[in-house]
Amino acid sequence: TQLLEQSPQFLSIQEGENLTVYCNSSSVFSSLQWYRQEPGEGPVLLVTVVTGGEVKKLKRLTFQFGDARKDSSLHITAAQPGDTGLYLCAGAVGNQFYFGTGTSLTVIP
Amino acid sequence: DVKVTQSSRYLVKRTGEKVFLECVQDMDHENMFWYRQDPGLGLRLIYFSYDVKMKEKGDIPEGYSVSREKKERFSLILESASTNQTSMYLCASKLGGANNEQFFGPGTRLTVL
């Protein structure tokens, strides 16, 4: 079993602050995905990173895949209340994804 | 608009009952998955299927079985429900290929009393 650890598990910040969520493993993945899940809904894909060292930006969100393809980070700039949710990383091995433990983010207006 | 639907949003069952959770996708995806989600544990894969009538065990298959008789439908079966199977169950589907997006249903919150 490939274990993906996310940190922090819980994060509560004020609107406008920056934050970083980490996703770490001792396993190597062919790609890594980040999902966001809102209460009562299933996770929705934010991004897929494939190449070691890759950095992707989606507006205020920046995703990085580690050089060794074992870890990833998600950085949010100037967080907004709409960013509130559960953030999940998922590493791919073959056709199967292994999900991280999740980071619950609350952005206070 | 792509869609994965699950038969129930909330379900309450008694210990020992047989429970069926149904999942249907309208995207003609080859791969379908069943996960359970528990606080602090993330999503854990129960079973997945890469084709009709094909199934593979995930990380926690004990106490569960699955059925995929048609491409669009993937069923999760709890043969004899137990209280430790109280959880949120999520179904997902994706195209074949390692990096394709998984599309999730809204989940079924199952409580076993």
Side-chain angles (χ1 to χ4, degrees):
Chain A
T1 299
Q2 336 286 350
L3 184 62
L4 277 162
E5 291 282 348
Q6 283 184 240
S7 61
Q9 188 175 357
F10 298 97
L11 194 52
S12 182
I13 62 170
Q14 295 289 330
E15 182 177 359
E17 291 184 358
N18 301 333
L19 67 113
T20 302
V21 176
Y22 299 94
C23 174
N24 295 300
S25 177
S26 57
S27 302
V28 176
F29 299 102
S30 59
S31 68
L32 197 133
Q33 296 182 335
W34 284 92
Y35 289 80
R36 186 171 79 200
Q37 184 179 20
E38 299 190 15
E41 302 295 331
V44 175
L45 181 70
L46 295 173
V47 77
T48 302
V49 284
V50 178
T51 307
E54 182 177 1
V55 177
K56 274 192 175 177
K57 285 196 169 188
L58 267 73
K59 297 182 180 179
R60 296 177 293 101
L61 277 61
T62 302
F63 304 86
Q64 184 162 10
F65 200 11
D67 291 340
R69 295 154 74 131
K70 294 182 180 181
D71 53 83
S72 180
S73 63
L74 157 61
H75 182 80
I76 301 179
T77 303
Q80 298 177 1
D83 295 327
T84 293
L86 179 68
Y87 288 81
L88 295 156
C89 63
V93 177
N95 225 355
Q96 188 173 336
F97 280 90
Y98 295 88
F99 278 80
T101 46
T103 295
S104 180
L105 171 66
T106 302
V107 182
I108 302 163
Chain B
D1 199 17
V2 297
K3 213 166 196 177
V4 178
T5 56
Q6 295 184 229
S7 50
S8 305
R9 293 297 296 264
Y10 300 94
L11 211 51
V12 180
K13 296 291 182 180
R14 299 218 172 264
T15 301
E17 280 193 81
K18 191 169 186 175
V19 182
F20 292 87
L21 301 182
E22 304 283 342
C23 175
V24 178
Q25 50 98 1
D26 65 359
M27 297 165 281
D28 202 35
H29 285 169
E30 294 90 352
N31 302 148
M32 296 188 74
F33 306 81
W34 274 107
Y35 296 90
R36 62 176 284 177
Q37 183 175 26
D38 301 287
L41 296 177
L43 274 69
R44 292 180 292 166
L45 183 64
I46 304 171
Y47 269 97
F48 67 100
S49 169
Y50 52 87
D51 202 350
V52 175
K53 296 192 186 294
M54 306 302 287
K55 61 184 179 183
E56 292 284 344
K57 292 181 179 179
D59 296 324
I60 52 165
E62 296 78 18
Y64 303 95
S65 62
V66 290
S67 172
R68 192 156 179 214
E69 296 297 317
K70 294 184 178 181
K71 191 175 186 180
E72 67 270 20
R73 188 179 297 269
F74 192 34
S75 303
L76 180 69
I77 303 146
L78 287 65
E79 293 289 341
S80 178
S82 62
T83 54
N84 63 12
Q85 292 179 309
T86 291
S87 186
M88 170 69 84
Y89 290 87
L90 289 163
C91 174
S93 73
K94 67 185 276 292
L95 285 169
N99 301 328
N100 288 313
E101 175 181 0
Q102 290 187 78
F103 292 87
F104 283 86
T108 296
R109 183 161 293 283
L110 172 67
T111 302
V112 183
L113 302 175

